[in-house]
Amino acid sequence: MSGETPAPAPDDELEALWAMIRTRHGARLGAAELADLRQSVEGLVTLVRTLRAVPLANADAPLEILVPHRAGGRPGA
Amino acid sequence: MIFTPLRQLGEQIRSRALSPVALTEAVLARLSALGPAYNAVVTITAERARAQARAAEREIAAGTYRGPLHGIPYGAKDLLATAGGIPTTWGAAPLRGQTFDTDATAIRKLDEAGAILAAKLAMVELAGGMGYRQPTASFTGPGINPWKTGHWSGGSSSGSGSAVAAGLVPFALGSETWGSILSPAGYCGVAGLRPTYGRVSRHGAMTLSWTLDKIGPLALTADDCGLVLEAIAGPDPDDASTIPAPFRYDPAAGRRPRWRFGLVRDALTGCEDSVRAAFDRSLDELRAIGDVVEIALPDLPFEAIARIILGAEAASAFEDLVERGLLAGLTAPEDRYTTYSRDVILARDYLRALRVRAVAAREADRVLAGVDAVVAPGRPILAPPLDKEFRSALRGTVNDALGALGNIAGLPAVIVPNGLDPGGLPTSLQFVGRAYDENTVLGAACAYQARTDWHRRHPPVAEVPPATGQP
């Protein structure tokens, strides 16, 4: 056994998202800013994965609702 | 009249022992002389204030008294639109000259209550929504803490906190998406109220996050905050998120023969020693008026929910600023590009955050239904020094599960001072309640303040010569 630690598997999703960021915004940023932005991206990807791990059922709806618009307000308001 | 709570000020004005004009001139003089020392002020609205003060004096002399805020000057966080050519800068250098044609609803309601707009107050640029991590994230400079001027006043309602603490205005309006009322109030040693989401109309206020933004008061006492909330709260056809019912501040409704306070397990994790010590002393006071029971918050990722919702909504809210290239003019370097990272929040992940938020809100309400209010340190740390990056819940460098939960679920919270550390910086205590329970959390905070005197202590502020009237 060589005792070497295997390299982590590539995070395809993270790299695809980072590539999108670089395509959209990379040209206007310097190396330090890109490095900082990469950390932000990694942080956000970690957060969304935390949320993806929470089990949800079809009935778990957001609290946010559509309030159909009509000038003057809705009935009962 | 400086450092006098609103209820007493209002009575002095109502009884004509104090002139609104004299009070306004004193406030304008303090704003002018001391505001720059704390980077607290963007615009002193002297002309409007004097006209409003004269009108208040005439009305009261004629027997028309509008209520406890009639004739009392205040400052408004500079994300609330004000008409008449008064700039509304959002704390952002590229928007220094921005103006609006109409007042925000909260400003209009304070006009109707007879209050007097004396100043637009400094704030962190774009209310901190670009991911700032240092106090110097405003074109007005870092908010300076009146207790110790090498330290931050907190944000994003920086000027609102320091102006009330230094006695520049009797009360101020701030806003909170995640921490922006509680932070400056706590660091500056004043009271702050984050109302239930939807309690106060956001029409005319800058949007950072549609489902997280709330407008609320900062003042010397919790009772003062209740008086201001009643004036600014209520349904507004221009803001569909407003709660359909009016709000009446009812101190009697907020009294209990014996309180039941919830204390979250591990509430003190990550807190500085002086915060812990002050909180322990506060618990002694709270145990004298009630029971303190341990509670456990639901095991859900509140901070992840808050950060994804805030990130996605802020990215959308400021899309036009990005497209217009205005980010390059922001003061904090990280504010010029951090928002780009939010492009990675996919629609499905944003919707998942909203759905998990609903689960969190229901489970939290089940826990909170067993107590009158949850108590916790107002801030885990003392006001940070001006010259360093600070730890931030938004960036995940400090834990703020209760703050995250309170904001994602739209829950009300009151923060009040509960001590001074050996170096002279304030510590604070917060009460968080069930949705719509502002009277309860205000009552709890008032009960605490009736037994303590931290709200009567004020920072060492320079004397200002008596006002001599209009220039």
Side-chain angles (χ1 to χ4, degrees), chain B residues 216-233:
Chain B
L218 291 85
L220 291 176
T221 67
D223 183 54
D224 286 0
C225 288
L227 293 173
V228 177
L229 181 63
E230 177 166 327
I232 61 175

Side-chain angles (χ1 to χ4, degrees), chain B residues 58-70:
Chain B
R58 276 195 306 271
E59 281 191 341
I60 294 167
T64 300
Y65 183 64
R66 294 174 182 240
L69 301 185
H70 199 175

Side-chain angles (χ1 to χ4, degrees), chain B residues 403-429:
Chain B
L405 173 60
N407 281 287
I408 63 175
L411 305 180
V414 177
I415 191 167
V416 292
N418 74 342
L420 287 170
D421 95 305
L425 283 170
T427 57
S428 57
L429 173 67

